[in-house]
Amino acid sequence: MMHPVWKRVFHRLHRALLSSKRHQSGCAEHTPTCTSTKTTSRKPRLLVSRLYQPSNLRDVGQDSRLSGEMTCKSQRLMHQAGLIHPFSPGCYVYLPATVRSMEKLVRVIDQEMQGIGGQKLDMPSLCSADLWRTSERWDLMGKELFRLKDRHGADYCLGPTHEEAVTTLVAHQATLSYRQLPLLLYQITRKFRDEPKPKFGLLRGREFYMKDMYSFDVQADTGNIGGTLSHEFQLPTDVGEDRLLLCGNCSFSANVETLSSGTTHCPQCKTGALVESKGIEVGHTFYLGKKYSSIFKATFSNPQNKPSVTEMGCYGLGVSRILAAAIEVLSTDEGIRWPGLIAPYQICVLPPKKGSKIEGAAVLAEELVDSLGEDFPHLRGEIVLDDRTQMTIGKRLKDASILGYPYVIVVGEAALQNPPTFEVICQQTAETLFLSKDGLLDLLGKVETV
């Protein structure tokens, strides 16, 4: 028997096909419509009991092996919250809440990349060794590449980066004109690097998500790339593997590796003292020049209608690393604290425990979830009801704190009063507010989503 959900899916597809045919034929008024399936506009409530975050995946304490591997806060918290599950060294299962957060982060990146003219594509992860041999990186990158052979004996690698692939793609367009430049092509995909010692969960793994954009231009503008041949974007944190030097007098900062040994004063303002810190690299830009475009013959027609070799730059963001780094920096030792835009869910509503004296407030909690979705369409799909009413409010509050919902609304005894009052815990600011219905609507109406 077909599941009702699939019936609705096929019905929608059928209607879409009929609609497309009507538009093509120009006789929409004569086309019959199917009315056998009833649909409603209101989506079912999101219930915590139905979210896939198995508790047996969370309990680090009972697994000494996993407990010993929890080498940083973000890794421990994401595991305890049921957000990731170790699959093999350096590789993790991203559970549904993490996928939601990642998709939101990707949407933010897409908006920014497309806002500057970037065009999104998707290149194969399976890369031919021939391209990498042509660029001489097949041997240069050594053991960092995951290598494999197909059934015909041809060599491949799983792409850690895609300079060769994207330059070959552009080289195949023989009619590229200078008027089409700069050309900004980017992708957000899984990347693979054979880390000798993967650690820190999503901060340093063998399989990870990355945004890489490649620019093809008439001439190089290193100033836009940071003033030098490359520029790093670091998030300061104690678990960072990079050593940084920060000036206390101006905005200068640099990786220790880029400065002369023994440098103690700022080379920019000349007066500030440099203080060492640690950081996680979450982004990196490189000026590639003609290194790849000359090898793969990526050219364009210049104003004189002559072929010229393009100048290139690349701009990388560690997407899964940004996610974990944000948790590392913002969270408490007891619970995750998300950047607001990328929290998996924005709001969690807690009704009273079943069988308690105020059990009647449970109906108010359900009505609140429904009314919030109706009043604020942008919050539909962002509100969950913790229906595990066999548990105390305290235990569910602890879970909500670990998972890091930005707003937790407790519907308790005060909600039964006239006028009703709701307890709202703002986890990012550690504030607890007691609000009327109007006050609650005013607060949640300002919540941003992506």
mmCIF file with all atom_site columns, all heavy atoms in Angstrom, residues 14-15 17-23 25-34:
data_model
loop_
_atom_site.group_PDB
_atom_site.id
_atom_site.type_symbol
_atom_site.label_atom_id
_atom_site.label_alt_id
_atom_site.label_comp_id
_atom_site.label_asym_id
_atom_site.label_entity_id
_atom_site.label_seq_id
_atom_site.pdbx_PDB_ins_code
_atom_site.Cartn_x
_atom_site.Cartn_y
_atom_site.Cartn_z
_atom_site.occupancy
_atom_site.B_iso_or_equiv
_atom_site.pdbx_formal_charge
_atom_site.auth_seq_id
_atom_site.auth_comp_id
_atom_site.auth_asym_id
_atom_site.auth_atom_id
_atom_site.pdbx_PDB_model_num
ATOM 1   N N   . HIS A 1 14 ? 1.472   15.461 -10.386 1.00 0.00 ? 14 HIS A N   1
ATOM 2   C CA  . HIS A 1 14 ? 0.495   15.310 -11.461 1.00 0.00 ? 14 HIS A CA  1
ATOM 3   C C   . HIS A 1 14 ? -0.138  16.649 -11.797 1.00 0.00 ? 14 HIS A C   1
ATOM 4   O O   . HIS A 1 14 ? -0.288  17.016 -12.967 1.00 0.00 ? 14 HIS A O   1
ATOM 5   C CB  . HIS A 1 14 ? -0.574  14.291 -11.043 1.00 0.00 ? 14 HIS A CB  1
ATOM 6   C CG  . HIS A 1 14 ? -1.614  14.041 -12.096 1.00 0.00 ? 14 HIS A CG  1
ATOM 7   N ND1 . HIS A 1 14 ? -2.928  14.422 -11.951 1.00 0.00 ? 14 HIS A ND1 1
ATOM 8   C CD2 . HIS A 1 14 ? -1.518  13.466 -13.323 1.00 0.00 ? 14 HIS A CD2 1
ATOM 9   C CE1 . HIS A 1 14 ? -3.603  14.090 -13.046 1.00 0.00 ? 14 HIS A CE1 1
ATOM 10  N NE2 . HIS A 1 14 ? -2.763  13.500 -13.884 1.00 0.00 ? 14 HIS A NE2 1
ATOM 11  N N   . ARG A 1 15 ? -0.509  17.395 -10.757 1.00 0.00 ? 15 ARG A N   1
ATOM 12  C CA  . ARG A 1 15 ? -1.091  18.714 -10.994 1.00 0.00 ? 15 ARG A CA  1
ATOM 13  C C   . ARG A 1 15 ? -0.110  19.646 -11.684 1.00 0.00 ? 15 ARG A C   1
ATOM 14  O O   . ARG A 1 15 ? -0.479  20.438 -12.544 1.00 0.00 ? 15 ARG A O   1
ATOM 15  C CB  . ARG A 1 15 ? -1.550  19.329 -9.669  1.00 0.00 ? 15 ARG A CB  1
ATOM 16  C CG  . ARG A 1 15 ? -2.855  18.744 -9.152  1.00 0.00 ? 15 ARG A CG  1
ATOM 17  C CD  . ARG A 1 15 ? -3.357  19.541 -7.978  1.00 0.00 ? 15 ARG A CD  1
ATOM 18  N NE  . ARG A 1 15 ? -2.380  19.519 -6.884  1.00 0.00 ? 15 ARG A NE  1
ATOM 19  C CZ  . ARG A 1 15 ? -2.458  20.299 -5.814  1.00 0.00 ? 15 ARG A CZ  1
ATOM 20  N NH1 . ARG A 1 15 ? -3.417  21.181 -5.699  1.00 0.00 ? 15 ARG A NH1 1
ATOM 21  N NH2 . ARG A 1 15 ? -1.559  20.206 -4.860  1.00 0.00 ? 15 ARG A NH2 1
ATOM 22  N N   . LEU A 1 17 ? 2.319   18.805 -13.713 1.00 0.00 ? 17 LEU A N   1
ATOM 23  C CA  . LEU A 1 17 ? 2.436   18.408 -15.119 1.00 0.00 ? 17 LEU A CA  1
ATOM 24  C C   . LEU A 1 17 ? 1.227   18.884 -15.916 1.00 0.00 ? 17 LEU A C   1
ATOM 25  O O   . LEU A 1 17 ? 1.353   19.379 -17.042 1.00 0.00 ? 17 LEU A O   1
ATOM 26  C CB  . LEU A 1 17 ? 2.574   16.885 -15.219 1.00 0.00 ? 17 LEU A CB  1
ATOM 27  C CG  . LEU A 1 17 ? 3.917   16.310 -14.774 1.00 0.00 ? 17 LEU A CG  1
ATOM 28  C CD1 . LEU A 1 17 ? 3.836   14.790 -14.705 1.00 0.00 ? 17 LEU A CD1 1
ATOM 29  C CD2 . LEU A 1 17 ? 5.024   16.734 -15.733 1.00 0.00 ? 17 LEU A CD2 1
ATOM 30  N N   . LEU A 1 18 ? 0.027   18.740 -15.332 1.00 0.00 ? 18 LEU A N   1
ATOM 31  C CA  . LEU A 1 18 ? -1.181  19.206 -16.017 1.00 0.00 ? 18 LEU A CA  1
ATOM 32  C C   . LEU A 1 18 ? -1.137  20.707 -16.234 1.00 0.00 ? 18 LEU A C   1
ATOM 33  O O   . LEU A 1 18 ? -1.485  21.211 -17.293 1.00 0.00 ? 18 LEU A O   1
ATOM 34  C CB  . LEU A 1 18 ? -2.423  18.832 -15.209 1.00 0.00 ? 18 LEU A CB  1
ATOM 35  C CG  . LEU A 1 18 ? -2.822  17.351 -15.203 1.00 0.00 ? 18 LEU A CG  1
ATOM 36  C CD1 . LEU A 1 18 ? -4.026  17.158 -14.302 1.00 0.00 ? 18 LEU A CD1 1
ATOM 37  C CD2 . LEU A 1 18 ? -3.123  16.882 -16.619 1.00 0.00 ? 18 LEU A CD2 1
ATOM 38  N N   . SER A 1 19 ? -0.665  21.425 -15.203 1.00 0.00 ? 19 SER A N   1
ATOM 39  C CA  . SER A 1 19 ? -0.580  22.876 -15.315 1.00 0.00 ? 19 SER A CA  1
ATOM 40  C C   . SER A 1 19 ? 0.384   23.273 -16.411 1.00 0.00 ? 19 SER A C   1
ATOM 41  O O   . SER A 1 19 ? 0.128   24.178 -17.200 1.00 0.00 ? 19 SER A O   1
ATOM 42  C CB  . SER A 1 19 ? -0.130  23.473 -13.979 1.00 0.00 ? 19 SER A CB  1
ATOM 43  O OG  . SER A 1 19 ? 0.054   24.867 -14.087 1.00 0.00 ? 19 SER A OG  1
ATOM 44  N N   . SER A 1 20 ? 1.534   22.558 -16.478 1.00 0.00 ? 20 SER A N   1
ATOM 45  C CA  . SER A 1 20 ? 2.516   22.852 -17.520 1.00 0.00 ? 20 SER A CA  1
ATOM 46  C C   . SER A 1 20 ? 1.940   22.609 -18.910 1.00 0.00 ? 20 SER A C   1
ATOM 47  O O   . SER A 1 20 ? 2.108   23.405 -19.828 1.00 0.00 ? 20 SER A O   1
ATOM 48  C CB  . SER A 1 20 ? 3.765   21.985 -17.298 1.00 0.00 ? 20 SER A CB  1
ATOM 49  O OG  . SER A 1 20 ? 4.698   22.179 -18.329 1.00 0.00 ? 20 SER A OG  1
ATOM 50  N N   . LYS A 1 21 ? 1.173   21.491 -19.071 1.00 0.00 ? 21 LYS A N   1
ATOM 51  C CA  . LYS A 1 21 ? 0.581   21.184 -20.373 1.00 0.00 ? 21 LYS A CA  1
ATOM 52  C C   . LYS A 1 21 ? -0.476  22.208 -20.761 1.00 0.00 ? 21 LYS A C   1
ATOM 53  O O   . LYS A 1 21 ? -0.612  22.586 -21.912 1.00 0.00 ? 21 LYS A O   1
ATOM 54  C CB  . LYS A 1 21 ? -0.027  19.780 -20.343 1.00 0.00 ? 21 LYS A CB  1
ATOM 55  C CG  . LYS A 1 21 ? 1.017   18.669 -20.308 1.00 0.00 ? 21 LYS A CG  1
ATOM 56  C CD  . LYS A 1 21 ? 0.354   17.307 -20.254 1.00 0.00 ? 21 LYS A CD  1
ATOM 57  C CE  . LYS A 1 21 ? 1.404   16.204 -20.220 1.00 0.00 ? 21 LYS A CE  1
ATOM 58  N NZ  . LYS A 1 21 ? 0.778   14.872 -20.130 1.00 0.00 ? 21 LYS A NZ  1
ATOM 59  N N   . ARG A 1 22 ? -1.241  22.697 -19.734 1.00 0.00 ? 22 ARG A N   1
ATOM 60  C CA  . ARG A 1 22 ? -2.263  23.700 -20.027 1.00 0.00 ? 22 ARG A CA  1
ATOM 61  C C   . ARG A 1 22 ? -1.637  24.978 -20.549 1.00 0.00 ? 22 ARG A C   1
ATOM 62  O O   . ARG A 1 22 ? -2.116  25.582 -21.488 1.00 0.00 ? 22 ARG A O   1
ATOM 63  C CB  . ARG A 1 22 ? -3.083  23.988 -18.758 1.00 0.00 ? 22 ARG A CB  1
ATOM 64  C CG  . ARG A 1 22 ? -4.006  22.856 -18.361 1.00 0.00 ? 22 ARG A CG  1
ATOM 65  C CD  . ARG A 1 22 ? -5.084  23.361 -17.422 1.00 0.00 ? 22 ARG A CD  1
ATOM 66  N NE  . ARG A 1 22 ? -4.521  23.885 -16.184 1.00 0.00 ? 22 ARG A NE  1
ATOM 67  C CZ  . ARG A 1 22 ? -4.321  23.149 -15.086 1.00 0.00 ? 22 ARG A CZ  1
ATOM 68  N NH1 . ARG A 1 22 ? -4.607  21.854 -15.109 1.00 0.00 ? 22 ARG A NH1 1
ATOM 69  N NH2 . ARG A 1 22 ? -3.854  23.691 -13.997 1.00 0.00 ? 22 ARG A NH2 1
ATOM 70  N N   . HIS A 1 23 ? -0.536  25.363 -19.926 1.00 0.00 ? 23 HIS A N   1
ATOM 71  C CA  . HIS A 1 23 ? 0.135   26.590 -20.369 1.00 0.00 ? 23 HIS A CA  1
ATOM 72  C C   . HIS A 1 23 ? 0.677   26.437 -21.783 1.00 0.00 ? 23 HIS A C   1
ATOM 73  O O   . HIS A 1 23 ? 0.664   27.365 -22.590 1.00 0.00 ? 23 HIS A O   1
ATOM 74  C CB  . HIS A 1 23 ? 1.266   26.955 -19.410 1.00 0.00 ? 23 HIS A CB  1
ATOM 75  C CG  . HIS A 1 23 ? 0.779   27.546 -18.119 1.00 0.00 ? 23 HIS A CG  1
ATOM 76  N ND1 . HIS A 1 23 ? 0.054   28.715 -18.068 1.00 0.00 ? 23 HIS A ND1 1
ATOM 77  C CD2 . HIS A 1 23 ? 0.900   27.116 -16.841 1.00 0.00 ? 23 HIS A CD2 1
ATOM 78  C CE1 . HIS A 1 23 ? -0.251  28.991 -16.803 1.00 0.00 ? 23 HIS A CE1 1
ATOM 79  N NE2 . HIS A 1 23 ? 0.249   28.032 -16.046 1.00 0.00 ? 23 HIS A NE2 1
ATOM 80  N N   . SER A 1 25 ? -0.506  24.431 -24.133 1.00 0.00 ? 25 SER A N   1
ATOM 81  C CA  . SER A 1 25 ? -1.553  24.286 -25.140 1.00 0.00 ? 25 SER A CA  1
ATOM 82  C C   . SER A 1 25 ? -2.450  25.509 -25.241 1.00 0.00 ? 25 SER A C   1
ATOM 83  O O   . SER A 1 25 ? -3.154  25.704 -26.222 1.00 0.00 ? 25 SER A O   1
ATOM 84  C CB  . SER A 1 25 ? -2.423  23.064 -24.806 1.00 0.00 ? 25 SER A CB  1
ATOM 85  O OG  . SER A 1 25 ? -3.091  23.282 -23.575 1.00 0.00 ? 25 SER A OG  1
ATOM 86  N N   . GLY A 1 26 ? -2.414  26.344 -24.170 1.00 0.00 ? 26 GLY A N   1
ATOM 87  C CA  . GLY A 1 26 ? -3.234  27.545 -24.184 1.00 0.00 ? 26 GLY A CA  1
ATOM 88  C C   . GLY A 1 26 ? -4.712  27.273 -23.995 1.00 0.00 ? 26 GLY A C   1
ATOM 89  O O   . GLY A 1 26 ? -5.548  28.084 -24.378 1.00 0.00 ? 26 GLY A O   1
ATOM 90  N N   . CYS A 1 27 ? -5.093  26.121 -23.439 1.00 0.00 ? 27 CYS A N   1
ATOM 91  C CA  . CYS A 1 27 ? -6.517  25.790 -23.259 1.00 0.00 ? 27 CYS A CA  1
ATOM 92  C C   . CYS A 1 27 ? -6.771  25.338 -21.831 1.00 0.00 ? 27 CYS A C   1
ATOM 93  O O   . CYS A 1 27 ? -7.357  24.300 -21.589 1.00 0.00 ? 27 CYS A O   1
ATOM 94  C CB  . CYS A 1 27 ? -6.964  24.721 -24.257 1.00 0.00 ? 27 CYS A CB  1
ATOM 95  S SG  . CYS A 1 27 ? -5.987  23.207 -24.195 1.00 0.00 ? 27 CYS A SG  1
ATOM 96  N N   . ALA A 1 28 ? -6.286  26.158 -20.882 1.00 0.00 ? 28 ALA A N   1
ATOM 97  C CA  . ALA A 1 28 ? -6.398  25.786 -19.475 1.00 0.00 ? 28 ALA A CA  1
ATOM 98  C C   . ALA A 1 28 ? -7.839  25.615 -19.028 1.00 0.00 ? 28 ALA A C   1
ATOM 99  O O   . ALA A 1 28 ? -8.147  24.770 -18.200 1.00 0.00 ? 28 ALA A O   1
ATOM 100 C CB  . ALA A 1 28 ? -5.720  26.856 -18.612 1.00 0.00 ? 28 ALA A CB  1
ATOM 101 N N   . GLU A 1 29 ? -8.749  26.416 -19.619 1.00 0.00 ? 29 GLU A N   1
ATOM 102 C CA  . GLU A 1 29 ? -10.126 26.368 -19.144 1.00 0.00 ? 29 GLU A CA  1
ATOM 103 C C   . GLU A 1 29 ? -10.829 25.067 -19.496 1.00 0.00 ? 29 GLU A C   1
ATOM 104 O O   . GLU A 1 29 ? -11.872 24.749 -18.936 1.00 0.00 ? 29 GLU A O   1
ATOM 105 C CB  . GLU A 1 29 ? -10.917 27.565 -19.724 1.00 0.00 ? 29 GLU A CB  1
ATOM 106 C CG  . GLU A 1 29 ? -11.093 27.553 -21.236 1.00 0.00 ? 29 GLU A CG  1
ATOM 107 C CD  . GLU A 1 29 ? -9.927  28.200 -21.972 1.00 0.00 ? 29 GLU A CD  1
ATOM 108 O OE1 . GLU A 1 29 ? -8.862  28.329 -21.349 1.00 0.00 ? 29 GLU A OE1 1
ATOM 109 O OE2 . GLU A 1 29 ? -10.099 28.574 -23.131 1.00 0.00 ? 29 GLU A OE2 1
ATOM 110 N N   . HIS A 1 30 ? -10.277 24.281 -20.428 1.00 0.00 ? 30 HIS A N   1
ATOM 111 C CA  . HIS A 1 30 ? -10.935 23.039 -20.838 1.00 0.00 ? 30 HIS A CA  1
ATOM 112 C C   . HIS A 1 30 ? -10.321 21.809 -20.193 1.00 0.00 ? 30 HIS A C   1
ATOM 113 O O   . HIS A 1 30 ? -10.754 20.703 -20.454 1.00 0.00 ? 30 HIS A O   1
ATOM 114 C CB  . HIS A 1 30 ? -10.861 22.895 -22.362 1.00 0.00 ? 30 HIS A CB  1
ATOM 115 C CG  . HIS A 1 30 ? -11.525 24.038 -23.088 1.00 0.00 ? 30 HIS A CG  1
ATOM 116 N ND1 . HIS A 1 30 ? -12.861 24.320 -22.949 1.00 0.00 ? 30 HIS A ND1 1
ATOM 117 C CD2 . HIS A 1 30 ? -11.015 24.967 -23.934 1.00 0.00 ? 30 HIS A CD2 1
ATOM 118 C CE1 . HIS A 1 30 ? -13.174 25.370 -23.699 1.00 0.00 ? 30 HIS A CE1 1
ATOM 119 N NE2 . HIS A 1 30 ? -12.068 25.784 -24.301 1.00 0.00 ? 30 HIS A NE2 1
ATOM 120 N N   . THR A 1 31 ? -9.263  22.034 -19.359 1.00 0.00 ? 31 THR A N   1
ATOM 121 C CA  . THR A 1 31 ? -8.554  20.889 -18.799 1.00 0.00 ? 31 THR A CA  1
ATOM 122 C C   . THR A 1 31 ? -9.188  20.457 -17.494 1.00 0.00 ? 31 THR A C   1
ATOM 123 O O   . THR A 1 31 ? -9.340  21.263 -16.579 1.00 0.00 ? 31 THR A O   1
ATOM 124 C CB  . THR A 1 31 ? -7.074  21.245 -18.544 1.00 0.00 ? 31 THR A CB  1
ATOM 125 O OG1 . THR A 1 31 ? -6.537  21.761 -19.748 1.00 0.00 ? 31 THR A OG1 1
ATOM 126 C CG2 . THR A 1 31 ? -6.288  20.030 -18.092 1.00 0.00 ? 31 THR A CG2 1
ATOM 127 N N   . PRO A 1 32 ? -9.573  19.186 -17.388 1.00 0.00 ? 32 PRO A N   1
ATOM 128 C CA  . PRO A 1 32 ? -10.188 18.712 -16.145 1.00 0.00 ? 32 PRO A CA  1
ATOM 129 C C   . PRO A 1 32 ? -9.170  18.658 -15.015 1.00 0.00 ? 32 PRO A C   1
ATOM 130 O O   . PRO A 1 32 ? -7.975  18.499 -15.252 1.00 0.00 ? 32 PRO A O   1
ATOM 131 C CB  . PRO A 1 32 ? -10.688 17.313 -16.512 1.00 0.00 ? 32 PRO A CB  1
ATOM 132 C CG  . PRO A 1 32 ? -9.791  16.873 -17.613 1.00 0.00 ? 32 PRO A CG  1
ATOM 133 C CD  . PRO A 1 32 ? -9.471  18.113 -18.401 1.00 0.00 ? 32 PRO A CD  1
ATOM 134 N N   . THR A 1 33 ? -9.634  18.813 -13.792 1.00 0.00 ? 33 THR A N   1
ATOM 135 C CA  . THR A 1 33 ? -8.746  18.734 -12.637 1.00 0.00 ? 33 THR A CA  1
ATOM 136 C C   . THR A 1 33 ? -9.201  17.612 -11.726 1.00 0.00 ? 33 THR A C   1
ATOM 137 O O   . THR A 1 33 ? -10.378 17.284 -11.651 1.00 0.00 ? 33 THR A O   1
ATOM 138 C CB  . THR A 1 33 ? -8.748  20.055 -11.833 1.00 0.00 ? 33 THR A CB  1
ATOM 139 O OG1 . THR A 1 33 ? -10.086 20.335 -11.432 1.00 0.00 ? 33 THR A OG1 1
ATOM 140 C CG2 . THR A 1 33 ? -8.213  21.202 -12.671 1.00 0.00 ? 33 THR A CG2 1
ATOM 141 N N   . CYS A 1 34 ? -8.236  17.022 -11.050 1.00 0.00 ? 34 CYS A N   1
ATOM 142 C CA  . CYS A 1 34 ? -8.525  15.916 -10.134 1.00 0.00 ? 34 CYS A CA  1
ATOM 143 C C   . CYS A 1 34 ? -8.872  16.474 -8.766  1.00 0.00 ? 34 CYS A C   1
ATOM 144 O O   . CYS A 1 34 ? -8.176  17.333 -8.253  1.00 0.00 ? 34 CYS A O   1
ATOM 145 C CB  . CYS A 1 34 ? -7.297  14.999 -10.038 1.00 0.00 ? 34 CYS A CB  1
ATOM 146 S SG  . CYS A 1 34 ? -7.486  13.654 -8.870  1.00 0.00 ? 34 CYS A SG  1
#
